[in-house]
Amino acid sequence: MLVTAGPTREPIDEVRFLGNRSSGRMGIEIAREAARRGHPTTLLLGPVGDAAGLDAFGVTVHRFETAESLRQLLDSLSPYADLVVMAAAVADYRPVTRHAGKLRREGKPITLDLEPVPDLLAEVAGRRPTGQRIVGFALEPAERLDESARAKLVRKGIDAIVANPLETLDAAGIRGRLIHADGRVEMPSDDSEVVDKSRFAGWLLDRLEVLPSRER
Ligand code: CTP
C-alpha cells in the first residue's frame, strides 16, 4: 500500500515558499492503520507531521518537499502498489522561477508568475498496472461536496474518492464520506458527525481492503 500525506512547498526564493495548511495527519493515520493490519506500507510524507514511531509499525517513510519530488517518488514506487491512497495536498500552481538568494523589499507591489503543476493522481491512474486500486481525496466546500468529488473521481480515472469539507484541513477530526466509481456513497454512522482521524482511518481501511479493482 502506498500512501501520500502532507502539503507541498513550492519555492519562491531560497527562504520562502508557496504551501498550504495540510497537517498530513489523515494520511499518517491511514498508513499507521494499514501497517498495523499487516499490509506492507510506504508513506510519502511532505515537510510536516511526525513520522517518529511509524517505523515501529513497519511503515517505510520517504519525505518530499515539492510536487516534483513527490512526482519522482510516485514514478518509481507507484507501479509496485496494490492500493494507492493520495491524501497529500499537492499544489495546483508553482512559481515559474526560483529567485536566487532572498527577494528584497522594494516597497512596491510585485507579481509572481505561476505555472500549473501536473495532476499527479491522474498521472498515476493513467499508468496503473492491472488490478491496482487508486483512491483520492477531494477537499471541497461543504455545500457541493458529493457533486464536485464525483466529478474529480471521473476526471482523474480513479476507483474511489474521500470527499471532505474544507474545514477538515489541519483539524483533528474529519467529516468525510467515501464515494465509489459506481456511484455508491458511504459515510461513518452519522453524516454530520466529525470523526477523529485515527478512527476514520480504521473505518476507511475496512472499505479499502474490499474495494473492487477496475480491470482494464
Ligand atoms: N492532486 C494531485 N496533483 C495535484 C493536485 C491534486 O495528485 N497537482 C490530488 C490530491 O492528492 C487529491 C486529489 O488530487 O487526492 C484532489 O485534490 P484537490 O486539491 O481536492 O483537487 P484538484 O484536482 O487540485 O482540483 P481543485 O483544486 O480545482 O479543487
Side-chain angles (χ1 to χ4, degrees):
M1 184 159 161
L2 182 64
V3 184
T4 71
T8 50
R9 287 181 177 173
E10 303 300 332
I12 296 170
D13 61 16
E14 282 172 28
V15 291
R16 305 178 180 96
F17 56 82
L18 287 181
N20 61 70
R21 285 176 25 224
S22 166
S23 65
R25 227 173 292 160
M26 190 66 253
I28 289 172
E29 293 296 345
I30 293 169
R32 195 198 316 270
E33 178 63 15
R36 205 184 58 76
R37 293 178 181 212
H39 303 297
T41 304
T42 298
L43 174 66
L44 310 183
L45 181 61
V48 286
D50 189 4
L54 284 174
D55 269 6
F57 285 90
V59 179
T60 303
V61 181
H62 298 278
R63 306 298 295 235
F64 64 82
E65 284 237 341
T66 62
E68 185 52 35
S69 57
L70 174 58
R71 188 188 200 187
Q72 286 170 17
L73 286 166
L74 287 167
D75 277 354
S76 56
L77 297 172
S78 77
Y80 306 104
D82 296 319
L83 177 64
V84 179
V85 180
M86 279 283 284
V90 186
D92 289 332
Y93 289 92
R94 65 187 163 206
V96 174
T97 49
R98 173 191 185 144
H99 288 264
K102 181 185 167 208
L103 268 175
R104 289 287 163 194
R105 180 208 303 274
E106 289 180 2
K108 54 183 187 208
I110 61 165
T111 302
L112 284 177
D113 281 329
L114 305 178
E115 64 182 9
V117 172
D119 187 328
L120 306 186
L121 185 51
E123 286 186 353
V124 169
R127 59 161 189 264
R128 70 160 85 194
T130 305
Q132 183 179 72
R133 290 153 297 151
I134 305 176
V135 178
F137 270 69
L139 197 61
E140 305 290 348
E143 62 279 9
R144 42 189 175 81
L145 199 59
D146 285 13
E147 177 196 343
S148 303
R150 201 170 276 126
K152 268 181 203 174
L153 178 153
V154 171
R155 193 169 71 234
K156 293 170 192 258
I158 58 179
D159 303 297
I161 196 158
V162 178
N164 54 148
L166 298 181
E167 58 273 19
T168 291
L169 200 69
D170 199 19
I174 178 169
R175 196 158 61 78
R177 38 217 277 138
L178 184 65
I179 300 179
H180 293 265
D182 63 9
R184 269 180 310 129
V185 180
E186 295 185 279
M187 61 194 91
S189 52
D190 175 358
D191 191 20
S192 59
E193 190 192 359
V194 175
V195 177
D196 183 76
K197 285 182 176 172
S198 64
R199 205 181 120 211
F200 189 82
W203 177 86
L204 185 62
L205 257 294
D206 285 345
R207 276 136 196 94
L208 299 189
E209 284 176 336
V210 295
L211 191 68
S213 77
R214 171 195 291 224
E215 295 294 346
R216 294 191 305 168

